[in-house]
Amino acid sequence: FCLLFQGLRQISQRTISTASRRQLENRVAEKQKLFQEDNGLPVYLKGGIMDALLYRVTMGLAVFGKANIKIFMLWSSFQCAN
């Protein structure tokens, strides 16, 4: 048990010390240029193909959910009538 605790402590110290040394590149200026560019796209699609995919999946799930609710309401209205 003591060896396991000591090993975990060494791993945690190692990841914390190496993470603090890494320099992250500042990309805020790039992102500002990308999102402020006037290219006719709405802001939720300016991130690229992943934004478009996420948007389409979200809209598809919303339409699917709305259709399921309407079908369930129709089905339940006929069940109560009998």
Side-chain angles (χ1 to χ4, degrees), residues 3-4 8-10 13-14 16-18 25 29-30 33 36-37 44 49-50 57 59 62 64 67 69 72 81:
L3 290 176
L4 176 65
L8 289 175
R9 188 176 54 150
Q10 285 178 349
Q13 286 176 349
R14 190 177 312 135
I16 291 171
S17 64
T18 57
E25 185 179 340
E30 292 176 20
K33 285 180 188 176
Q36 291 176 357
E37 183 180 324
Y44 53 87
I49 200 157
M50 285 304 292
V57 167
M59 287 299 115
F64 179 74
I69 288 171
F72 178 74

Side-chain angles (χ1 to χ4, degrees), residues 3-61:
L3 290 176
L4 176 65
F5 180 71
Q6 186 178 8
L8 289 175
R9 188 176 54 150
Q10 285 178 349
I11 290 172
S12 66
Q13 286 176 349
R14 190 177 312 135
T15 56
I16 291 171
S17 64
T18 57
S20 64
R21 283 189 228 145
R22 263 186 271 163
Q23 292 294 326
L24 296 177
E25 185 179 340
N26 188 358
R27 293 181 159 175
V28 174
E30 292 176 20
K31 294 292 183 180
Q32 283 177 339
K33 285 180 188 176
L34 175 71
F35 284 99
Q36 291 176 357
E37 183 180 324
D38 188 19
N39 56 6
L41 287 175
V43 76
Y44 53 87
L45 293 177
K46 286 189 177 188
I49 200 157
M50 285 304 292
D51 281 353
L53 181 66
L54 182 62
Y55 175 74
R56 287 190 177 118
V57 167
T58 303
M59 287 299 115
L61 287 172

Side-chain angles (χ1 to χ4, degrees), residues 60-74:
L61 287 172
V63 169
F64 179 74
K66 191 171 183 177
N68 270 343
I69 288 171
K70 288 186 177 202
I71 289 170
F72 178 74
M73 295 291 279
L74 184 64

